[in-house]
Amino acid sequence: MNNTVLVLSGLDPCGGAGLVADIESINQFGVTPLVIITNLTVQNTASVENLVEVDCKFIIQQFECLQADVDFEVVKIGLLSSIQQIRTITKLVKNKIIVLDPIVKSSSDFDFLDSVLIDSLKHQLLPMVKVITPNLTELQILADEQDEQKAIKKLSYNWILLTKTDSSDDVIEHCLYHYGTLIQSFSYQKLPGSYHGSGCTLSSAMSALIALGLDIEIASKRALDYTYQTLLNAKSIGKMQLHPNRQKPL
């Protein structure tokens, strides 16, 4: 392993989620993020209004230019917005260690992926992924299955770190599965408020820790602890959702 992670994701102008969250999180572990923008978005702390896809030819040029100069093994993938983009990126990263944050819809309920794109993501990219970090809604949509255990079995690709925010009024539970088998669960006290970019923070921290050579179980615990710390210290910059405060990990 080395101390770089390639990030392919969208740009959130208000900095709560997307590439800004990825860069801030990865940097905190002493790892360097290499950044390729997949989409430009119009959004703030309250809503997502629009997005523009970056041309696939340009993404290929950026990837090949980086790969010719910098060694990287770990790739963190966030927002993808077309079948062509999914196909292109799948080909580019086929021999890499992939951490996928499956962004299906925003926390403000903007739908990023329709059923056609979800099917493409599920059948092309997901089988190559090392770790996927969905919340329960994303898991159910990707698997087309409401029952959690059946959904896990249908998506039993390598490692799944599942976040269940609605499992209790007092506790948020995270479950780590390996090929459909529960390996470990982690519980944290539920915090008040709504947060913009917690999923990006978690998946980016995971990618950084994997790049540093940690195994998945240890990386999961450390990434979750770090993400929770950013929520404990969250800040308000706008009118709605709070920003995770991605400072130095404990």
Side-chain angles (χ1 to χ4, degrees):
M1 293 294 178
N2 56 39
N3 62 345
T4 58
V5 170
L6 175 66
V7 179
L8 293 128
S9 193
L11 178 64
D12 170 13
C14 74
L19 285 170
V20 176
D22 298 330
I23 292 167
E24 288 181 347
S25 300
I26 291 169
N27 269 330
Q28 296 307 319
F29 292 90
V31 175
T32 300
L34 313 171
V35 178
I36 296 178
I37 298 175
T38 58
N39 296 271
L40 302 173
T41 71
V42 178
Q43 63 178 299
N44 55 27
T45 66
S47 64
V48 180
E49 304 295 335
N50 199 3
L51 71 119
V52 176
E53 177 186 351
V54 174
D55 183 74
C56 286
K57 290 181 180 179
F58 194 61
I59 290 174
I60 292 170
Q61 288 179 325
Q62 288 180 303
F63 183 94
E64 291 178 343
C65 184
L66 279 172
Q67 188 167 241
D69 180 46
V70 183
D71 290 329
F72 59 90
E73 296 180 54
V74 179
V75 178
K76 187 268 177 177
I77 299 176
L79 179 61
L80 304 176
S81 62
S82 73
I83 290 177
Q84 184 181 7
Q85 202 170 72
I86 293 169
R87 287 174 178 169
T88 297
I89 290 172
T90 297
K91 290 178 182 178
L92 291 175
V93 302
K94 63 182 179 181
N95 295 318
K96 304 298 183 182
I97 299 168
I98 304 166
V99 177
L100 175 65
D101 180 12
I103 302 173
V104 177
K105 62 169 56 184
S106 72
S107 51
S108 58
D109 284 333
F110 181 93
D111 290 321
F112 287 115
L113 301 182
D114 60 23
S115 59
V116 175
L117 294 181
I118 290 169
D119 189 66
S120 176
L121 185 73
K122 183 165 59 176
H123 291 100
Q124 294 184 60
L125 182 57
L126 268 181
M128 297 166 40
V129 169
K130 177 79 169 181
V131 183
I132 180 174
T133 60
N135 59 37
L136 185 56
T137 299
E138 290 165 340
L139 176 77
Q140 291 167 335
I141 291 173
L142 286 172
D144 192 24
E145 173 61 64
Q146 292 300 302
D147 182 82
E148 178 186 334
Q149 294 306 313
K150 290 180 180 178
I152 288 291
K153 294 296 183 183
K154 288 180 72 172
L155 296 179
S156 57
Y157 306 117
N158 222 322
W159 294 91
I160 298 176
L161 180 57
L162 174 66
T163 296
K164 300 193 291 183
T165 57
D166 298 325
S167 58
S168 164
D169 291 334
D170 303 315
V171 173
I172 293 179
E173 185 180 14
H174 304 268
C175 297
L176 180 65
Y177 293 91
H178 191 218
Y179 292 114
T181 299
L182 179 64
I183 302 300
Q184 195 170 356
S185 60
F186 313 88
S187 295
Y188 297 82
Q189 183 178 352
K190 186 173 286 188
L191 301 173
S194 177
Y195 302 90
H196 185 56
S198 56
C200 301
T201 304
L202 174 61
S203 55
S204 296
M206 277 289 294
S207 68
L209 290 162
I210 292 170
L212 291 172
L214 277 68
D215 67 38
I216 300 300
E217 292 181 60
I218 295 173
S220 296
K221 172 61 174 166
R222 284 194 57 184
L224 286 166
D225 286 348
Y226 169 69
T227 302
Y228 191 67
Q229 189 67 31
T230 71
L231 302 184
L232 283 172
N233 294 287
K235 52 191 175 182
S236 176
I237 68 163
K239 297 177 181 178
M240 293 293 289
Q241 295 176 312
L242 299 171
H243 274 44
N245 191 358
R246 292 173 279 261
Q247 54 191 322
K248 291 286 186 183
L250 297 176

